[in-house]
Amino acid sequence: MPGDGRPPARRSARQWTPSLSDFFTSRALDNPLLWHRSQQWVVTFRGAALSHSRPRRTSPQGASDEHRHHPRDRCPRRRLQRTDRHGSAGPLHPQAEHPHHAGEPLAPLRRAPAHAPARRGPGTDRLPDPGPARRHRCAVPPGRRHRHHTADRLVTLDDGAALSYDTLVYALGSATDTSTVPGAAEHARTLDDPRLAHHFSQRLPEIAARGGTVTVCGGGLTGIEAAAEIAEAHPGLTVALISSAEPGSMMGEKARAYLNRALDRLGVVRTVGVKVTKVLPDAVRLDTGELVASDLILWTTGVRVSPLAAQAGIATDAKGLVITDPTLRSVSHPEIHAIGDAALVRQAWGQIHGTCQSGVVTADYTAAVIARLLRGTTVRPFRFGYFHQPVSLGRKDAVIQFTNADDTPKRWYLQGMAAVIYKEQVSSTPPVAAELSRYVKLPVQLSKGGRATRATA
């Protein structure tokens, strides 16, 4: 049965695509893209476990809950293992693919009972260090504040627990920067946290009922999508979009013209070529001195990264991005791999900027690099090129601008329902692809940049 800890049965070609109900089973929830806040994650690598809250427990019952080790778990790539609130975990094998146990038969695995009580106290938040040869590859659980000690190769969490590592993946991402404009942090909302976004959306019907105004600060793709979605869902609202540059300025002329027609149809009021100098509880002040009254303010402009890397002595640029070599390893600490928005990644055509396109690809590449380094095989330099700029304009309209490797627009673009279908496929593919990748290797990169990145290789 799904969710009982056993490997799923082999599927025929007709049963290859998982059903919707599969994503609510415990097996599907092993997928990090389907994270839920009620779950706690344990990072496993080669059968060794790191838990941020509880150690792995074993069942005293014995044969009644034995599970044989599945060949998929012997893969030297890291995978995520879910634990429930009682601390019980799925099958983890301490022998899997470890050089000290090469060729040895695998012992039976035991699953912890669901009723096992959680133990807390000194020493329970950290597994014993088995020595340099078997120290864990480390990833920090989401939502935990932490400090990084590069000299000792330790990550210290906010509750005092310490995680040792030989190889670290630095993937702290970025957040909306509300520190550059006075009042933005106090009076504007962001989309950094799903709970904050939910609270923001709950206020919209009330404001729409009295014909209020919502102001979106920032004319990038996030600001455009937010303004269009709000205007379509709540026609009674006045939606104002404030931007220092023309919305969609990164797109080609035809795609940008279509975008502006869609915003006109939705009634989005644009104020272009100005900057916000101060955010007040009920208005924003522009550099022209004008006050734009607003019942709710959404801030979507500017990003910042965590100062943790710079504080730990890792080489960073002026913005705090980890400077990486062609294989996405820190130039000052090669045992640290940086991915996503937190990494400064350069290609022959220029520097990568943070998007989901580059985030997913750098993560997949780094997982493969770590596996190759463990096997002692050759690692090729990272190559990446942008492919498209998909923008939703509400739920029933969209525009897709196809791009060159350096994110400059090509002639080709999609609009209307064709773009809606395209965008929906792009947004819904990662969870399904992650599930299917358990059975077959699937590419996650649309473009390596072609000629534009050959100099990188």
Side-chain angles (χ1 to χ4, degrees):
M1 295 294 292
D4 62 359
R6 290 178 296 181
R10 185 178 299 275
R11 302 180 181 182
S12 66
R14 294 183 179 179
Q15 298 173 321
W16 190 258
T17 303
S19 65
L20 183 62
S21 61
D22 289 341
F23 290 101
F24 295 94
T25 65
S26 61
R27 295 298 298 179
L29 284 173
D30 286 345
N31 184 348
L33 296 174
L34 301 176
W35 177 81
H36 188 272
R37 65 180 180 178
S38 67
Q39 309 299 328
Q40 299 177 4
W41 294 101
V42 174
V43 178
T44 63
F45 193 91
R46 289 181 151 190
L50 277 176
S51 174
H52 70 274
S53 61
R54 300 175 180 87
R56 178 167 58 93
R57 301 176 65 87
T58 55
S59 171
Q61 281 79 9
S64 61
D65 50 6
E66 289 182 359
H67 300 293
R68 286 289 176 179
H69 187 73
H70 194 268
R72 180 175 63 248
D73 296 334
R74 294 201 295 270
C75 176
R77 297 178 64 180
R78 186 178 59 199
R79 67 184 183 90
L80 290 176
Q81 177 80 23
R82 184 178 65 87
T83 64
D84 60 26
R85 293 172 179 169
H86 300 289
S88 63
L92 306 175
H93 210 292
Q95 296 177 220
E97 284 291 299
H98 199 281
H100 288 190
H101 301 279
E104 295 182 13
L106 295 176
L109 290 165
R110 304 180 186 276
R111 185 176 178 83
H115 56 78
R119 293 191 301 169
R120 297 307 299 258
T124 61
D125 287 343
R126 182 184 175 189
L127 294 178
D129 188 354
R134 297 192 64 184
R135 198 169 292 153
H136 310 302
R137 273 65 188 172
C138 173
V140 178
R144 301 295 295 273
R145 293 189 299 274
H146 50 279
R147 292 177 296 168
H148 185 206
H149 310 275
T150 53
D152 299 328
R153 295 194 178 185
L154 288 176
V155 174
T156 304
L157 304 184
D158 55 357
D159 61 0
L163 306 177
S164 61
Y165 67 88
D166 285 329
T167 299
L168 180 98
V169 176
Y170 189 89
L172 294 186
S174 63
T176 306
D177 190 1
T178 56
S179 64
T180 57
V181 176
E186 294 80 11
H187 307 303
R189 306 292 190 270
T190 68
L191 300 177
D192 291 338
D193 190 314
R195 293 166 296 184
L196 296 178
H198 179 66
H199 182 265
F200 176 90
S201 66
Q202 286 183 319
R203 293 197 56 192
L204 295 177
E206 173 195 348
I207 299 173
R210 62 173 186 265
T213 300
V214 173
T215 300
V216 179
C217 299
L221 301 186
T222 302
I224 293 170
E225 288 194 337
E229 181 80 14
I230 294 170
E232 182 186 72
H234 303 279
L237 280 173
T238 298
V239 179
L241 179 62
I242 299 176
S243 176
S244 59
E246 183 181 0
S249 58
M250 72 292 295
M251 294 182 164
E253 182 178 347
K254 293 182 179 180
R256 187 167 61 250
Y258 184 85
L259 183 149
N260 283 316
R261 290 196 298 270
L263 294 179
D264 289 337
R265 172 176 54 80
L266 295 170
V268 177
V269 180
R270 279 102 69 199
T271 304
V272 180
V274 297
K275 293 184 178 180
V276 176
T277 58
K278 190 172 184 178
V279 179
L280 304 173
D282 57 355
V284 295
R285 186 185 300 277
L286 306 181
D287 56 0
T288 60
E290 179 186 358
L291 277 178
V292 179
S294 182
D295 297 279
L296 199 57
I297 301 166
L298 180 64
W299 196 263
T300 65
T301 179
V303 295
R304 58 181 172 82
V305 298
S306 170
L308 178 66
Q311 293 171 356
I314 303 171
T316 62
D317 69 351
K319 296 181 180 179
L321 301 174
V322 177
I323 303 174
T324 62
D325 65 11
T327 61
L328 305 190
R329 302 168 74 183
S330 166
V331 295
S332 61
H333 296 77
E335 72 277 6
I336 298 175
H337 302 248
I339 63 174
D341 292 3
L344 191 156
V345 181
R346 293 189 180 95
Q347 296 290 283
W349 48 262
Q351 181 178 330
I352 291 176
H353 58 86
T355 66
C356 60
Q357 291 183 69
S358 57
V360 171
V361 172
T362 54
D364 180 75
Y365 172 84
T366 294
V369 165
I370 294 174
R372 284 179 173 272
L373 291 174
L374 290 172
R375 293 195 298 262
T377 56
T378 303
V379 175
R380 296 181 178 179
F382 177 69
R383 294 179 60 195
F384 172 79
Y386 288 98
F387 184 76
H388 57 196
Q389 297 167 355
V391 185
S392 294
L393 302 171
R395 296 300 177 94
K396 302 177 182 178
D397 201 359
V399 60
I400 312 295
Q401 174 66 67
F402 295 100
T403 68
N404 298 303
D406 60 356
D407 211 24
T408 55
K410 289 183 176 180
R411 294 173 51 193
W412 309 106
Y413 74 101
L414 288 178
Q415 66 182 41
M417 188 52 63
V420 171
I421 297 173
Y422 183 98
K423 179 69 172 0
E424 182 65 24
Q425 292 300 315
V426 169
S427 301
S428 61
T429 295
V432 177
E435 177 68 14
L436 292 178
S437 66
R438 291 162 156 255
Y439 310 100
V440 62
K441 181 174 175 58
L442 295 175
V444 300
Q445 189 166 2
L446 294 175
S447 171
K448 291 188 176 182
R451 297 178 181 177
T453 60
R454 286 176 185 168
T456 305

